[in-house]
Amino acid sequence: MKVHSLFVYPVKSLAGIEVDRFDIDDFGPAGDRRWMIVDDDRRFVTQREMPELARVATILAEERVVIDIPGEGRFPLVATDLALRVLVWRDWVPAIIGRPEANEALSRFCGRSLRFVYMPDSSFRRVDAVRVEAYRRVGFADGFPFLVTNTASLSELNGRLDTPVEMRRFRPNIVVEGVGPWDEDNWQQLVIGDNRLSIVKPCSRCVMTTVDPATGQKDTALQPLRTLSGYRKTSDGVIFGQNAIHESPGSIRVGDPVTVNKSE
């Protein structure tokens, strides 16, 4: 088994970036979901309610995140010195507001008042304490630093769909190949190169999987979520992929070997 592909998401719920490698820092994949979009109530905004966000591209340029908004152009995301507490799920998190140019352009594109906010190193958001006893941090990701998926599971799902979907729908960080469909259900720990990741929770999927990442349009038939719910529904929800945490800093590359410890 080996790493098939890698993705980072500099801004929560905007388009991700496929990369050949990424470094791992205390938050997880370096730079992953350190930026987020909030409304005037300081609450996080995602493709769940605004699928058009999928059309906003992200670019990494000289250690800076640049966004490309259709009809508006490109804007670097630059943190100001203005602090703000923001809500992501149940967590109120100290953040820093981004410069107004990008905020105003995104607001025009979406037709509502929105702002970019950044999570600085000084901000600490804990991973789900119900699943992880260790006092570990995460950025603006839903709950955990990593999402791992399996190419064979996507192929099996696509065999049930009238129109196949891309792995991008599921927004993984690490995609592996070389094992059978749904083999990941039994994983406990992954060793990827010199890195050790613990599997902590199956990933429950939502309506974001019904958004075409190329067009920002929702599938009116709610695929692939509806098909998954017919045979992948558990007490944790409708499952595709596994959430994970890491033990230490490092780096992961496409092609790295992957070994697995499984539950009995």
Side-chain angles (χ1 to χ4, degrees):
M1 187 163 65
K2 66 180 181 180
V3 175
H4 172 273
S5 49
L6 298 169
F7 296 85
V8 293
Y9 306 87
V11 184
K12 183 178 181 67
S13 229
L14 296 191
I17 303 171
E18 187 169 1
V19 295
D20 293 330
R21 64 178 296 278
F22 57 61
D23 292 328
I24 301 171
D25 60 20
D26 199 33
F27 288 88
D32 190 78
R33 296 176 177 92
R34 295 290 292 274
W35 287 92
M36 185 174 71
I37 299 163
V38 298
D39 62 17
D40 287 343
D41 293 323
R42 299 178 290 157
R43 297 175 181 272
F44 75 120
V45 174
T46 73
Q47 291 180 37
R48 294 171 179 86
E49 65 268 31
M50 301 195 72
E52 63 268 32
L53 291 174
R55 297 174 56 210
V56 180
T58 54
I59 303 159
L60 296 176
E62 298 180 354
E63 300 185 359
R64 177 173 287 185
V65 178
V66 176
I67 58 168
D68 190 345
I69 306 175
E72 294 287 342
R74 293 186 176 186
F75 301 84
L77 296 184
V78 180
T80 66
D81 57 359
L82 300 174
L84 186 72
R85 289 182 66 82
V86 298
L87 182 66
V88 52
W89 294 112
R90 296 184 299 273
D91 300 325
W92 284 99
V93 182
I96 301 173
I97 300 173
R99 283 175 52 176
E101 297 86 353
N103 300 336
E104 292 165 1
L106 185 68
S107 297
R108 288 191 297 269
F109 174 71
C110 292
R112 59 183 290 196
S113 178
L114 299 170
R115 287 180 286 184
F116 290 96
V117 295
Y118 178 73
M119 183 183 288
D121 290 348
S122 58
S123 182
F124 189 96
R125 178 180 174 229
R126 187 177 178 182
V127 300
D128 187 347
V130 174
R131 299 284 183 166
V132 180
E133 291 185 6
Y135 203 65
R136 300 294 302 279
R137 80 189 316 177
V138 64
F140 287 128
D142 280 353
F144 303 95
F146 291 90
L147 174 61
V148 186
T149 62
N150 173 8
T151 58
S153 298
L154 179 64
S155 294
E156 195 278 340
L157 169 62
N158 278 334
R160 299 170 181 257
L161 300 175
D162 292 335
T163 303
V165 298
E166 299 177 72
M167 189 66 86
R168 288 193 298 163
R169 294 253 186 155
F170 299 96
R171 299 177 69 82
N173 298 110
I174 301 169
V175 183
V176 301
E177 63 179 348
V179 290
W182 316 118
D183 191 74
E184 63 271 27
D185 291 347
N186 300 312
W187 295 348
Q188 288 187 321
Q189 192 176 73
L190 298 180
V191 178
I192 304 176
D194 296 328
N195 306 278
R196 193 176 300 272
L197 277 66
S198 295
I199 302 299
V200 294
K201 178 185 175 295
C203 187
S204 176
R205 310 317 305 221
C206 68
V207 294
M208 276 185 63
T209 60
T210 70
V211 177
D212 185 332
T215 66
Q217 298 291 318
K218 280 186 179 179
D219 187 313
T220 56
L222 297 181
Q223 295 296 353
L225 186 61
R226 181 166 288 169
T227 293
L228 280 171
S229 67
Y231 72 116
R232 294 288 299 166
K233 193 169 186 178
T234 73
S235 59
D236 286 304
V238 179
I239 302 304
F240 188 99
Q242 299 288 327
N243 293 119
I245 61 172
H246 56 302
E247 290 189 358
S248 61
S251 63
I252 295 177
R253 296 170 174 79
V254 170
D256 276 351
V258 180
T259 57
V260 176
N261 292 329
K262 293 186 179 183
S263 58
E264 297 298 331

